[in-house]
Amino acid sequence: MDYSKHGTQKKEKHIRSDIPKAKHKVSFNIFRIFIFALIAVGVMGIAAAVGGLRGVLDSAPQISVEDVIPEGYKSFIYDRDGNLLTQLYQPETNRIQKSISEMPEVLQNAFIALEDARFREHNGIDPKGIVRAFVVGITSGDFSEGASTITQQLLKINVFGGGDEDSLLLKFKRKFQEQYLALELEKTMSKDEILEAYLNTINLGASTYGVEAASQRYFGKSCSEVNASEAAVLASIAKSPTWYDPIYYPENNKERRDKTLGHMLDEGYLTQEEYDEAMADNVYERIAARAEEQSDSHRVFTYYEDAAIRQVLQDLQDQLGYTQEQAVNKLYGGGLKVYLAQDNQMQNIVDEEYHDDSNFGYNNALGLEWRCSIMKEDGSTANYDQLTMQYWYWNNENSSFKLIYNNADEAWNDINHYKEALGITEENTLAESFYQPYAMQSSFVLMDQRTGEVKAIAGGRNEKQESLSFSRETQATRQPGSCFKILGCYLPGLDAAGLTLGSTKMDAPYTTPSGYTPNNWYSGYWGLTTVRKAITQSMNVVTTKFFVEDVTPELAIDYCRKLGITTLTDSDYVESFALGGLTYGVTNLEMTGAYAAIANGGKYVRPVFYSKVVDRDGNVLLDNTNPQGEQVIKETTAYLLTSAMQDVVTQGTGTACALGDGMDVAGKTGTTSDSKDLWFVGYTPYLTAGIWLGYDQNYAMEGELSETEHEYLWSRIMRRIDAECGYEPTSFTVPENIGTRTVCSKSGKLVGTSACTPVTEYFDLTSLPSGYCNDHIGATICNVCGGIANENSKSTSYKEYSSSSEIPSYSCTCPPETESASSTESETTPTTTPSTEPPVDTPAAPTTPTDPTAPTPVG
């Protein structure tokens, strides 16, 4: 036996027997490394996942309770008595806040049963709900089953903007953040607070948000009054406000309502009897009837509501610093309460008179409001309206063309001719509208001069067609004519330029240094004229002289701006300003507000359409209930203007505006060239009112009417208001520092000669007249023939005249005396010398000054 070989073989065998063990050991090591690597990867993956999740959670928005409280509540407009008139909201702000205590349990439970059965139990997220949704998704392939709690849904709406993500990754990110924030939110808010915020937030279709607005929309009652069936209807809308809209898709809503009622029964929120009753309720019939009722009662804002809305928006910007966008959002989404200053009884009187066509001389010719949009060949759109049509006719066919018609056929003839000329056809027409209001229009503003409250307005003669449409009383700027003489000349003249009602100018041909030549509305000239007479008879030449020589444009415009006139520009520093020739005109509201300052003893109070604006927490944001006003002119100036403007109504150009029955009235007429604008602005001791009459297109009205229709309408409205609203007849109060003096009616100076016609005039006691009249010219007149006396005059007398033009232009024509007679009489020489007779100033009781030589007004 070869032991060495045997040993070798044995050794080899031994070696071979170890090889599997080595392999096993290597495999085990590799496996261990793999396990360790897998664990390491897992740990790193978990760490990465945890880190990623941590990053997702860290990037979640920081929130507070305020962030989940819904924003955007509809606002309300109330009358002065607190009666609701209308609502203001944008599509997303049709929401009315309600506290959880005002929401019945049946309503709360309907949403809880359907949306989050364990709402009262979980801490913000519902693990059971998540598992249930996952299982349903795995088994059915439909992952639409919701697992979000009411807390999460509240966050989704108010923090995450509704959760409309572009990708699945972003959706999961939002879900994680939503769940995290839900846990955090429930640490700071109670269940009732969360549920209240949610039920005030959710979109419930038909442009309603929150259960109160939805209940009002669908059932016509508060959510506090809903029954189980109605509560289930509301809860069933939330998942898809369009698909489950109970007005347009009642079958869809009913299917989900029945499911909701079933959940309420299962959760013990309803008894079997209550469930059966709710299931049998034909609630959708009531919903359809309510929808029909609301469609029939679509309400257009009144002119007054338009004006109030515009003023609130402007005041939010001017007084509280809002931007225009912020002001709109606040008014239409801030849950504000706006209380109007309107007097309903007065407004009804104004409306009745404006709807009476006989007040406008039966001038019922029709105007035109037409719009047309077309698609051009290049794909762009073009828009046309009645004004582009008017310009086309003026430039191409008829320079006198007017948009005034007797009927619709006449209007369509002009429209179709215009459309044919421009190539407008039915095929390229995108939209077209047609409406015919009265052609002759008018506006009216009535306000309380002491409080600034606008009591009533009229923005036109027709029924209003749309909300926030063009308003003539607040937006139309028209030339004011002679109405502006008071504001542009006599008010600043009396207050700061040293004028009195007795100051005089010569009414005679006149050209200003700049070359402007004014003309009177009457023929000829009236000679020496006082301020009172110039106001009473609306004299143009004399007014221009006072303006140029005493007042100046700078002083006048400064006063007008203090009186609330906002339309003035640098182009208005001209002589025609005194006569109402403005660059852009003025609105009826601003004219009436300026005159109201005179009526209010010189204190300007801004015209206001609302008394106050209150936010949804009861805080007063804007307040007009205690106006302070600004003393713009002296109280004495206001009374002197009032006294002169009383004469306008009693013996001047505005006699049609007299009220009678002992009620004092003061005011001023205004007529522009060719009677394009007719005005009267006046006041009683209680109220101030302005009226305008004209065509929107600024057509001339001369010869079309008597030009006093607007004055009679003003008087008719004011008479009715006095009688029906309890205003007792009274007189204007004379301030203590107003006194009277007897003066010459021609010169306005203290009576100085027997030729003066004495009248009693009012003066500020600090500006009393000091000089005596010496403006009359004396002459010796033949008592027989009336000529200037000469040697042939048998009997003569000395007479005085107001001006040289009144003195006879011829000498005595009497035959000469015999020589013996003539030699014994003294020679009489014609004279024209100022009177030297002593002054006469006989006290007299204050009376309205009169001028027996004044011509009868014709316009």
Side-chain angles (χ1 to χ4, degrees):
M1 175 179 280
D2 188 351
Y3 290 101
S4 61
K5 184 177 181 181
H6 176 76
T8 300
Q9 290 176 337
K10 189 174 183 180
K11 185 176 181 180
E12 288 176 355
K13 182 178 180 182
H14 175 74
I15 292 174
R16 284 195 298 270
S17 65
D18 287 343
I19 287 175
K21 294 181 179 180
K23 287 182 178 180
H24 177 74
K25 186 174 182 180
V26 170
S27 298
F28 176 75
N29 289 335
I30 293 174
F31 176 74
R32 185 169 57 181
I33 293 172
F34 173 75
I35 293 299
F36 284 144
L38 185 62
I39 292 173
V41 170
V43 170
M44 289 188 292
I46 292 172
V50 171
L53 181 59
R54 185 74 263 171
V56 168
L57 298 182
D58 287 342
S59 65
Q62 297 294 316
I63 65 168
S64 64
V65 172
E66 288 73 20
D67 294 313
V68 296
I69 301 300
E71 293 183 357
Y73 290 92
K74 67 168 65 176
S75 295
F76 303 90
I77 295 180
Y78 300 89
D79 68 13
R80 65 189 302 113
D81 298 321
N83 299 310
L84 179 63
L85 297 175
T86 192
Q87 304 173 6
L88 303 175
Y89 55 88
Q90 296 169 320
E92 296 80 14
T93 64
N94 187 10
R95 178 184 288 111
I96 305 172
Q97 184 181 23
K98 283 289 181 179
S99 67
I100 194 69
S101 62
E102 297 174 285
M103 302 174 187
E105 288 189 3
V106 69
L107 179 62
Q108 300 176 39
N109 292 336
F111 280 89
I112 292 174
L114 184 62
E115 298 290 333
D116 188 0
R118 284 170 291 279
F119 172 71
R120 298 287 183 186
E121 302 165 12
H122 61 64
N123 59 352
I125 60 175
D126 182 12
K128 291 182 180 180
I130 295 173
V131 172
R132 173 181 49 79
F134 180 75
V135 170
V136 171
I138 292 294
T139 57
S140 67
D142 181 7
F143 286 90
S144 63
E145 183 76 17
S148 293
T149 64
I150 284 177
T151 311
Q152 288 177 249
Q153 292 182 49
L154 179 62
L155 289 163
K156 176 182 176 182
I157 298 170
N158 287 341
V159 176
F160 294 99
D164 188 17
E165 292 83 11
D166 295 330
S167 68
L168 186 61
L169 181 62
L170 291 176
K171 182 175 182 178
F172 275 117
K173 177 183 177 181
R174 187 259 303 167
K175 278 287 187 182
F176 283 128
Q177 291 180 340
E178 196 179 90
Q179 291 172 349
Y180 166 69
L181 292 177
L183 294 171
E184 295 298 310
L185 187 63
E186 294 228 2
K187 296 176 184 178
T188 57
M189 292 181 70
S190 69
K191 291 291 186 179
D192 278 350
E193 289 172 336
I194 291 171
L195 186 60
E196 177 183 308
Y198 173 74
L199 294 177
N200 277 318
T201 296
I202 49 177
N203 180 355
L204 292 176
S207 298
T208 64
Y209 290 80
V211 291
E212 176 65 13
S215 182
Q216 295 283 2
R217 175 69 175 89
Y218 298 124
F219 313 126
K221 60 184 178 182
S222 172
C223 70
S224 62
E225 304 174 66
V226 299
N227 59 31
S229 174
E230 293 163 341
V233 167
L234 297 179
S236 301
I237 300 171
K239 183 177 182 179
S240 176
T242 299
W243 183 244
Y244 294 111
D245 186 316
I247 296 175
Y248 297 104
Y249 300 101
E251 298 84 1
N252 297 346
N253 184 276
K254 184 179 184 305
E255 181 180 350
R256 190 162 174 80
R257 182 207 67 159
D258 295 348
K259 178 181 177 181
T260 303
L261 291 173
H263 283 311
M264 294 176 72
L265 177 64
D266 293 340
E267 296 295 331
Y269 295 138
L270 294 178
T271 65
Q272 186 64 47
E273 182 180 357
E274 290 169 336
Y275 169 79
D276 294 339
E277 181 181 351
M279 288 291 290
D281 179 27
N282 191 4
V283 64
Y284 299 99
E285 188 175 282
R286 299 197 301 277
I287 292 174
R290 171 67 176 168
E292 181 69 22
E293 174 188 324
Q294 290 199 311
S295 66
D296 292 341
S297 60
H298 174 67
R299 185 176 178 277
V300 174
F301 295 162
T302 65
Y303 282 114
Y304 199 102
E305 290 163 355
D306 281 358
I309 289 169
R310 291 185 174 110
Q311 190 171 65
V312 170
L313 288 172
Q314 193 61 51
D315 287 354
L316 286 171
Q317 297 171 67
D318 296 343
Q319 298 182 31
L320 300 182
Y322 285 74
T323 65
Q324 183 177 18
E325 181 179 2
Q326 289 171 336
V328 170
N329 291 337
K330 188 68 174 178
L331 181 57
Y332 285 84
L336 306 183
K337 295 180 179 179
V338 180
Y339 294 89
L340 301 186
Q342 183 180 34
D343 186 291
N344 294 332
Q345 187 177 12
M346 295 183 189
Q347 185 65 63
N348 289 338
I349 291 172
V350 172
D351 291 343
E352 288 172 9
E353 295 298 334
Y354 261 76
H355 293 153
D356 184 348
D357 292 339
S358 66
N359 286 327
F360 299 91
Y362 293 98
N363 190 320
N364 296 326
L366 301 175
L368 178 62
E369 292 182 7
W370 168 77
R371 295 179 180 86
C372 182
S373 297
I374 68 167
M375 176 73 73
K376 299 170 67 174
E377 292 183 359
D378 62 2
S380 62
T381 60
N383 301 308
Y384 305 92
D385 60 18
Q386 72 275 4
L387 295 180
T388 62
M389 183 177 86
Q390 178 176 252
Y391 295 145
W392 183 86
Y393 273 99
W394 283 350
N395 294 326
N396 293 277
E397 295 197 356
N398 180 5
S399 60
S400 301
F401 177 82
K402 294 182 178 181
L403 297 168
I404 301 177
Y405 302 97
N406 292 312
N407 51 57
D409 290 340
E410 291 181 1
W412 277 114
N413 286 338
D414 284 346
I415 293 171
N416 290 331
H417 180 64
Y418 172 62
K419 290 168 65 175
E420 182 179 356
L422 270 63
I424 299 174
T425 65
E426 290 186 10
E427 287 72 22
N428 62 14
T429 298
L430 299 175
E432 187 172 16
S433 64
F434 176 90
Y435 172 62
Q436 286 193 282
Y438 287 123
M440 182 177 290
Q441 283 295 338
S442 180
S443 70
F444 187 84
V445 176
L446 175 71
M447 63 180 289
D448 185 324
Q449 54 256 27
R450 293 176 299 278
T451 65
E453 291 183 336
V454 178
K455 297 296 188 180
I457 59 174
R461 298 175 57 191
N462 298 86
E463 292 292 341
K464 204 161 175 285
Q465 298 296 305
E466 57 185 8
S467 297
L468 296 175
S469 57
F470 180 72
S471 297
R472 295 174 184 86
E473 78 290 352
T474 58
Q475 293 180 304
T477 52
R478 304 292 299 214
Q479 294 300 319
S482 295
C483 269
F484 210 74
K485 290 174 180 174
I486 299 297
L487 308 179
C489 180
Y490 294 112
L491 181 149
L494 291 169
D495 202 63
L499 299 185
T500 71
L501 291 180
S503 299
T504 57
K505 296 291 182 185
M506 185 65 70
D507 185 21
Y510 174 66
T511 299
T512 69
S514 67
Y516 174 67
T517 301
N519 295 307
N520 290 320
W521 59 266
Y522 49 84
S523 60
Y525 301 91
W526 294 349
L528 197 64
T529 304
T530 64
V531 166
R532 179 182 287 275
K533 182 178 178 180
I535 292 173
T536 303
Q537 301 301 333
S538 197
M539 300 169 70
N540 291 340
V541 173
V542 171
T543 300
T544 305
K545 282 187 175 182
F546 278 121
F547 181 74
V548 173
E549 297 171 7
D550 299 279
V551 177
T552 74
E554 290 75 17
L555 180 65
I557 288 178
D558 181 57
Y559 267 92
C560 287
R561 285 176 172 157
K562 291 178 182 178
L563 289 163
I565 307 299
T566 63
T567 54
L568 307 181
T569 70
D570 291 343
S571 301
D572 288 311
Y573 288 85
V574 293
E575 296 94 331
S576 59
F577 181 83
L579 306 182
L582 309 182
T583 304
Y584 294 115
V586 64
T587 66
N588 192 345
L589 179 68
E590 292 189 352
M591 281 291 291
T592 304
Y595 269 73
I598 304 173
N600 194 32
K603 180 180 288 188
Y604 175 77
V605 181
R606 182 183 70 131
V608 294
F609 292 91
Y610 67 92
S611 59
K612 63 181 177 180
V613 176
V614 181
D615 69 15
R616 61 190 180 92
D617 296 321
N619 302 309
V620 177
L621 296 182
L622 300 170
D623 191 357
N624 292 321
T625 56
N626 186 29
Q628 300 303 308
E630 179 184 359
Q631 195 72 37
V632 177
I633 60 174
K634 293 178 287 188
E635 187 179 15
T636 52
T637 300
Y639 181 76
L640 295 176
L641 290 169
T642 296
S643 177
M645 287 191 285
Q646 282 183 268
D647 283 3
V648 172
V649 177
T650 59
Q651 56 186 288
T653 57
T655 55
C657 295
L659 300 182
D661 298 328
M663 180 69 83
D664 274 2
V665 181
K668 185 70 183 74
T669 56
T671 305
T672 62
S673 301
D674 301 321
S675 298
K676 293 177 181 177
D677 300 274
L678 300 177
W679 291 81
F680 180 78
V681 186
Y683 49 91
T684 69
Y686 305 105
L687 301 168
T688 303
I691 192 169
W692 166 85
L693 181 71
Y695 289 109
D696 287 338
Q697 295 81 10
N698 211 33
Y699 301 146
M701 293 186 293
E702 194 168 36
E704 293 188 10
L705 67 174
S706 68
E707 298 188 359
T708 56
E709 275 85 355
H710 64 299
E711 296 178 32
Y712 284 111
L713 177 55
W714 188 95
S715 175
R716 188 172 293 110
I717 291 173
M718 297 301 284
R719 284 175 184 268
R720 285 191 60 186
I721 287 173
D722 287 345
E724 298 175 29
C725 299
Y727 290 102
E728 295 294 330
T730 189
S731 302
F732 293 113
T733 301
V734 182
E736 292 182 358
N737 46 351
I738 284 287
T740 62
R741 291 295 184 273
T742 302
V743 297
C744 174
S745 65
K746 293 290 184 181
S747 68
K749 299 177 182 178
L750 295 172
V751 173
T753 73
S754 59
C756 295
T757 302
V759 295
T760 301
E761 185 57 273
Y762 291 102
F763 293 91
D764 184 320
L765 291 178
T766 63
S767 302
L768 294 172
S770 57
Y772 289 95
C773 177
N774 62 356
D775 295 333
H776 299 284
I777 300 173
T780 302
I781 303 299
C782 173
N783 293 333
V784 178
C785 68
I788 298 294
N790 57 26
E791 67 276 7
N792 295 330
S793 302
K794 300 179 179 64
S795 173
T796 64
S797 61
Y798 182 79
K799 292 186 177 182
E800 294 182 349
Y801 300 89
S802 298
S803 66
S804 58
S805 62
E806 297 180 4
I807 300 176
S809 60
Y810 58 93
S811 296
C812 175
T813 58
C814 295
E817 293 282 343
T818 61
E819 185 173 344
S820 59
S822 63
S823 62
T824 61
E825 292 186 359
S826 60
E827 185 175 347
T828 304
T829 304
T831 60
T832 56
T833 60
S835 170
T836 58
E837 293 200 15
V840 178
D841 188 11
T842 305
T847 58
T848 302
T850 59
D851 181 4
T853 65
T856 302
V858 296

